[in-house]
Amino acid sequence: AFLKETYGDVPGDLRTLEEFYHIDGHSFAVNVLTKGANIKTVSSLLGHTSIKMTERYLHVVDSLKQDAIDSLGEINYAPM
């Protein structure tokens, strides 16, 4: 899909080529998802046949949300 069209074939054995596409695809997906890209768009760009395949990258986005919440520290609420 997008990555193969962009980069073409990578020199080396098939294992190296598969690893390249996997690592590059993972980096691409995580970066665009953390910037707010729509998961359906990312799925299409990666050439996934199902959004389920793309959902595996969402754990990174979820952990960033939790990090943002955790950065608040302890919050003490006073009764009204």
Side-chain angles (χ1 to χ4, degrees):
F2 173 76
L3 294 174
K4 190 160 189 162
E5 291 169 9
T6 301
Y7 296 110
D9 290 334
V10 177
D13 61 20
L14 184 57
R15 179 178 163 78
T16 303
L17 181 61
E18 288 174 355
E19 287 175 357
F20 172 79
Y21 287 127
H22 173 76
I23 293 167
D24 202 50
H26 184 274
S27 297
F28 175 79
V30 167
N31 280 303
V32 296
L33 287 169
T34 57
K35 301 286 187 209
N38 177 297
I39 190 168
K40 183 151 176 53
T41 301
V42 176
S43 183
S44 175
L45 289 170
L46 292 172
H48 290 167
T49 57
S50 160
I51 286 187
K52 286 277 185 208
M53 294 176 71
T54 314
E55 286 177 348
R56 63 182 165 204
Y57 302 115
L58 291 178
H59 71 280
V60 176
V61 177
D62 291 341
S63 69
L64 291 174
K65 290 178 187 176
Q66 188 61 50
D67 290 346
I69 292 168
D70 293 344
S71 73
L72 294 172
E74 186 176 334
I75 299 174
N76 296 313
Y77 294 100
M80 297 176 98

